[in-house]
Amino acid sequence: MTVETRPAPKLHRAWLIAGAAFVALLASAGFRAAPGVLIDPLHEEFGWSRTTISSAVSVNLVLFGLFAPFAAALMERFGIRRVSATALAVIALGAGGTVFMTASWQLVLCWGVLVGLGTGSMAMGFAAMVAARWFVRSRGVVTGVLTAAGATGQLIFLPLIANLAVGSGWRTASLVIAIAALAVVPVVLLVIRDHPADVGTTAYGAPADVEAARPAARTGSVRRALSVLGQAARTRTFWLLAIGFAICGATTNGLIGTHFVPAAHDHGMPQTTAASLLALVGVFDVIGTIFSGWLTDRVDPRILLGVYYALRGLSLALLPQLFTGSVQPSMWAFILFYGLDWVATVPPTVALCVRAFGDAGPIVFGWVFASHQLGAAFAASAAGLVRDQLGNYTLAWYSAAVLAVIASVASLAITRAKKSVAVLAT
């Protein structure tokens, strides 16, 4: 009797692309983990105020956000692979350039401009582009996993950078970031492809009878990005998403990501301990974001956003009472909860952009993400100013809590809508 055996199913190329994208996003997260642990070393060596240092971080966050939609349009024209590889090289140039700086304007140039442009090209719009082009099935989960790459990078780089900054100096930490970014460039060039049609396949989960076809390359990347913005800005959905995501950025990257470590240090906690806590946020962030992606495939994204922002506001309102010189159980609880909530907002936000704006969804998300970074930039500078003027961060925490409640209300106010024909036709 002959037993017929079936060959093992072949791994779809989309998963290899997603894996390479994850590694690239992880490497680009190295710099975004650095500012919080380098503020004090730079202040001590150069005597620059926290407001001055925070302003460089703000420039980075603004460019990181504003360049994201243009990067998405550039990827439409020149391809995901070339744009992401170039972005990683620019990140390495900016991080390595900080080693030679002697004036605050050079900090703004390297930390702010170069790394801002590089990380902006490797922002969440990159994740949205990969998920939208390569996945039909499991798109929410993949978006969550790629979004979690930033948190994983934080988990890896934060303790390393903090220990290097204390033991070997902040210049060594900057060089490690530069080397990590450069090391991933060959991975991007060898593995990532721009379209499923480039390797003769279709997106994962696409119907079998759909013919693989590579979309025609678009010209005028700047015009495309601005045109999509003009069309999307006429809709109520866009503005509600932008308001919510601006507050998301203010309450994560801008406030916690930049000022949690120095705030904890103000209360007597060692800098390396505070950095390890922030890195632990990354552990729970990975879990929370992937789970949020799974939920996004099953639950109304508007409801998810409303719940996420409301709970975030509650946790921020409690934070000022949790700081002590050592890590208490209440702080462990905050780290666990805030980590689960950190970027859980991304999968439902991407889903709402794609639902409302179709093929233009990744570019629209790029603009929504720009609002995220504008909010982050404002919070980074404002919190630094609050600390310089009042001697503590208390007002910053309470203000952020109120903003999170506003974001919850804005998210729940989004209505279901058909895809925007005007944007799709752009």
Side-chain angles (χ1 to χ4, degrees):
M1 178 178 179
T2 303
V3 178
E4 183 179 350
T5 59
R6 295 182 179 180
K10 185 178 180 181
L11 181 68
H12 195 283
R13 181 61 179 263
W15 294 109
L16 297 178
I17 303 296
F22 182 91
V23 172
L25 287 165
L26 185 148
S28 71
F31 177 84
R32 296 201 298 278
V37 296
L38 298 186
I39 287 178
D40 284 340
L42 290 173
H43 173 70
E44 292 171 4
E45 177 169 337
F46 296 105
W48 299 332
S49 69
R50 288 176 177 81
T51 303
T52 297
I53 299 171
S54 296
S55 67
V57 179
S58 294
V59 170
N60 170 277
L61 293 172
V62 168
L63 290 177
F64 178 54
L66 289 180
F67 196 68
F70 296 101
L74 286 171
M75 288 178 187
E76 282 191 344
R77 181 174 182 182
F78 298 107
I80 299 173
R81 182 172 59 163
R82 279 187 283 183
V83 172
S84 56
T86 301
L88 287 166
V90 172
I91 292 170
L93 177 63
T98 60
V99 173
F100 305 101
M101 66 184 181
T102 56
S104 59
W105 69 265
Q106 295 165 346
L107 176 69
V108 174
L109 174 64
C110 293
W111 267 29
V113 177
L114 290 178
V115 179
L117 291 174
T119 53
S121 300
M122 294 296 298
M124 295 177 189
F126 169 69
M129 183 73 75
V130 171
R133 284 190 176 178
W134 282 91
F135 291 87
V136 173
R137 188 188 311 155
S138 303
R139 183 179 290 166
V141 171
V142 171
T143 302
V145 170
L146 293 182
T147 302
T152 307
Q154 177 176 295
L155 168 65
I156 293 172
F157 284 104
L158 254 176
L160 175 62
I161 292 170
N163 283 285
L164 286 174
V166 172
S168 303
W170 63 267
R171 289 178 176 83
T172 302
S174 295
L175 285 176
V176 167
I177 296 169
I179 292 170
L182 278 179
V184 181
V185 172
V187 176
V188 170
L189 293 176
L190 290 173
V191 179
I192 289 183
R193 292 295 181 269
D194 300 324
H195 298 276
D198 292 344
V199 289
T201 187
T202 57
Y204 178 73
D209 57 350
V210 173
E211 183 180 354
R214 192 182 195 282
R218 294 182 182 271
T219 59
S221 301
V222 173
R223 184 171 63 250
R224 165 71 169 160
L226 293 175
S227 177
V228 167
L229 173 63
Q231 298 285 352
R234 299 174 187 173
T235 68
R236 181 170 175 265
T237 296
F238 173 81
W239 288 108
L240 290 172
L241 286 170
I243 289 170
F245 226 44
I247 294 173
C248 180
T251 53
T252 52
N253 301 73
L255 186 57
I256 296 293
T258 304
H259 293 284
F260 178 85
V261 174
H265 192 53
D266 284 346
H267 289 78
M269 185 179 294
Q271 188 170 336
T272 51
T273 301
S276 297
L277 285 177
L278 195 56
L280 193 58
V281 168
V283 176
F284 298 112
D285 188 4
V286 172
I287 299 170
T289 306
I290 294 174
F291 183 59
S292 178
W294 182 85
L295 284 175
T296 300
D297 288 332
R298 294 162 174 80
V299 180
D300 189 334
R302 301 169 302 166
I303 295 176
L304 292 177
L305 287 178
V307 172
Y308 294 159
Y309 287 131
L311 293 177
R312 182 180 300 179
L314 176 62
S315 65
L316 285 170
L318 297 174
L319 181 59
Q321 286 76 46
L322 306 184
F323 284 116
T324 61
S326 59
V327 184
Q328 301 298 319
S330 56
M331 179 59 79
W332 286 118
F334 172 83
I335 293 298
L336 186 154
F337 176 81
Y338 210 81
L340 292 173
D341 186 76
W342 182 272
V343 288
T345 55
V346 174
T349 302
V350 171
L352 288 170
C353 287
V354 174
R355 175 191 296 177
F357 304 104
D359 290 342
I363 296 179
V364 174
F365 176 72
W367 285 113
V368 171
F369 182 69
S371 73
H372 181 283
Q373 295 310 107
L374 289 174
F378 173 79
S381 293
L385 182 61
V386 166
R387 172 60 177 82
D388 284 342
Q389 296 299 316
L390 303 181
N392 59 67
Y393 287 100
T394 303
L395 178 62
W397 306 128
Y398 288 139
S399 299
V402 173
L403 288 174
V405 174
I406 294 174
S408 177
V409 173
S411 300
L412 294 173
I414 297 172
T415 56
R416 286 187 175 273
K418 295 180 179 180
K419 292 179 180 178
S420 171
V421 176
V423 172
L424 286 172
T426 302

